[in-house]
Amino acid sequence: MERIESGNWASRLRRFVSATEEEHCEFCSKAIASRHAHLVERATRKFFCACPQCAFLLGGSERFAALRARADALDDFNLSDDDWQGFRIPIDLAFVFHSTPAQGPVAIYPGPAGAIESPFAADGWSRLIAANAMLADLDPDVEALLVNRMNGAREYYLVSIDRCYALVGLIRRHWRGLSGGAEVWEAVRDYFTNLRDDVETKDRVHG
Amino acid sequence: MSGEARGTETLEQSLARLEKLMAALEEIADGTGREAARELLALLLDLHARSLARLSAIIAASDNGAALLEKIVEDRDLRAILLLHGLHPQSVENRLLDVIARMQPQWSARGLHVSLVSASKAFAMVQLQRNGVAEPTDQLRLEIENALTDAAPDLDDILIEMDMTALYTETAA
């Protein structure tokens, strides 16, 4: 069968024409503002658009968690190179979060064909929390520690999980060959530049 | 483009042109014009969607309707339009399972086992496992991604997870 070389063209066309259409709460179907709340289904990690009421009623439940935009830089993060090596994550870029369905910490890092997920050693995670108290208040399933140690960087962020998936998606779109190629690392650099901008803008707003 | 050229344009060419025109429209500074064009396109699509939905329902309800629909989706142009309007008789999940079942022997022989983890209206997750010692080539990974996307161009994204830990360890060593 000949293939259509336009990827997910049907999805993109649909989104293009509906860009200004009213959005609806995926729970009660009520029309919602273009800036609205999102809930994450813990088991499937699916994102749902929600009206304020549904977000309030369902967020933080057993099945759903409310997603809150978060981007905090952790300037005094405590993690030695040896400890990092001990976590056995094969590349210097990863996010770690507490997964309710997995009943423990999970690491996700980018690779040639998308996200690679592996359980994160529970004792390693406890040590990280002990050395970095701010990790203790990470919201399970929706907030993650983002680690960037590429090219000598030692950057750590607390971010909402949507940003992590955005990074995974971006890497998948740009990855070429085994090592990724120049394009993907440029895209990753841009991602972190944007993230730092957001952190700074937010800090200015909130003093 | 003249009417004659449009008539001989392939589906690929039409979709590539569609893509360019959408990008050009996004670039228009005049917000009123941009939104009017978008609304016009949405309305036209909607009119077609409604009629095609009814047409599909009539076909499905007639004798041998299911077989006829199957024949209809074998036509590339028709399949594309049915997919666009969410009228493909097979669910996303079945389309992905079908393409995986069809291609698995080839992919497996070349080093990758493919399995569907989940499929929803907007998003599917697929897992790749190395099959044997051979290192899967980028070409093969791309081929798999393309085959899946072709079967479900109506999905926002197909997330492909791969257990490459062993490979990383090898390249690092």
Side-chain angles (χ1 to χ4, degrees):
Chain A
M1 203 186 295
E2 247 185 289
R3 65 175 306 262
I4 298 169
E5 289 177 26
S6 295
N8 59 345
W9 64 274
S11 155
R12 276 177 288 148
L13 176 55
R14 273 197 220 149
R15 272 181 290 168
F16 177 77
V17 298
S18 66
T20 51
E21 271 181 20
E22 264 188 344
E23 292 185 85
H24 296 270
C25 174
E26 290 184 79
F27 300 93
C28 71
S29 302
K30 192 164 64 190
I32 46 179
S34 58
R35 285 180 65 99
H36 52 256
H38 290 96
L39 295 178
V40 180
E41 190 174 27
R42 297 183 196 272
T44 59
R45 295 193 202 143
K46 262 183 69 179
F47 289 75
F48 294 89
C49 302
C51 68
Q53 287 82 353
C54 288
F56 176 78
L57 285 172
L58 298 169
S61 63
E62 201 173 303
R63 185 164 164 207
F64 296 100
L67 189 70
R68 281 167 307 180
R70 183 169 191 184
D72 294 333
L74 303 176
D75 293 328
D76 306 312
F77 198 76
N78 236 321
L79 174 62
S80 71
D81 293 354
D82 282 347
D83 280 341
W84 173 253
Q85 297 287 326
F87 297 147
R88 303 196 159 276
I89 290 175
I91 85 169
D92 289 332
L93 182 62
F95 57 93
V96 186
F97 64 100
H98 184 94
S99 160
T100 312
Q103 297 181 317
V106 165
I108 291 188
Y109 46 90
I116 297 161
E117 183 172 335
S118 69
F120 191 84
D123 58 329
W125 184 240
S126 319
R127 275 205 310 279
L128 262 185
I129 294 180
N132 302 280
M134 63 292 234
L135 293 181
D137 72 320
L138 269 187
D139 203 354
D141 304 312
V142 284
E143 290 183 339
L145 166 68
L146 173 59
V147 177
N148 173 20
R149 298 170 56 93
M150 293 193 311
N151 306 317
R154 295 290 181 268
E155 293 176 15
Y156 306 93
Y157 301 89
L158 292 187
V159 292
S160 39
I161 203 96
D162 53 330
R163 280 189 182 267
C164 298
Y165 289 123
L167 179 58
V168 168
L170 176 135
I171 287 174
R172 193 165 66 79
R173 279 196 301 282
H174 295 282
W175 191 289
R176 301 287 177 270
L178 251 194
S179 59
E183 189 189 317
V184 71
W185 301 120
E186 203 168 299
V188 170
R189 261 197 306 280
D190 288 347
Y191 170 93
F192 279 103
T193 306
N194 285 337
L195 180 58
R196 276 189 295 272
D197 282 353
D198 288 353
V199 169
E200 279 166 26
T201 316
K202 181 182 54 78
D203 286 349
R204 267 203 304 278
V205 173
H206 296 291
Chain B
M1 178 174 270
S2 73
E4 201 181 329
R6 260 202 298 275
T8 56
E9 201 176 46
T10 65
L11 182 58
E12 280 73 24
Q13 288 166 336
S14 299
L15 291 178
R17 218 150 57 81
L18 181 76
E19 198 88 13
K20 262 194 217 138
L21 289 169
M22 287 198 295
L25 197 54
E26 291 285 18
E27 293 299 309
I28 293 180
D30 168 18
T32 324
R34 194 177 54 230
E35 288 317 309
R38 200 197 296 270
E39 233 174 278
L40 184 64
L41 184 58
L43 176 64
L44 266 175
L45 279 175
D46 211 36
L47 279 172
H48 283 85
R50 269 195 281 170
S51 303
L52 285 170
R54 262 181 251 154
L55 190 64
S56 300
I58 291 172
I59 295 172
S62 61
D63 294 342
N64 293 325
L68 188 53
L69 275 179
E70 252 175 59
K71 203 167 168 161
I72 286 171
V73 293
E74 275 169 31
D75 182 284
R76 307 176 62 231
D77 289 25
L78 288 172
R79 184 172 61 242
I81 296 306
L82 290 179
L83 278 169
L84 172 62
H85 293 297
L87 294 170
H88 195 289
Q90 273 183 301
S91 67
V92 169
E93 189 175 1
N94 285 335
R95 278 184 267 136
L96 291 174
L97 287 174
D98 274 5
V99 71
I100 291 172
R102 198 171 66 239
M103 302 300 292
Q104 191 77 270
Q106 287 184 38
W107 292 339
S108 238
R110 289 159 61 199
L112 279 184
H113 181 84
V114 183
S115 53
L116 183 65
V117 180
S118 72
S120 70
K121 251 168 81 180
F123 181 74
M125 207 183 265
V126 168
Q127 197 162 47
L128 307 186
Q129 275 158 330
R130 292 180 73 187
N131 182 38
V133 286
E135 174 187 309
T137 62
D138 293 333
Q139 175 63 33
L140 177 56
R141 281 194 291 266
L142 188 66
E143 196 182 304
I144 293 171
E145 188 170 321
N146 285 341
L148 296 171
T149 315
D150 288 350
D154 46 342
L155 284 180
D156 291 348
D157 200 8
I158 300 178
L159 186 62
I160 301 180
E161 288 191 322
M162 180 158 184
D163 185 9
M164 296 289 285
T165 321
L167 182 58
Y168 270 118
T169 320
E170 283 161 28
T171 41

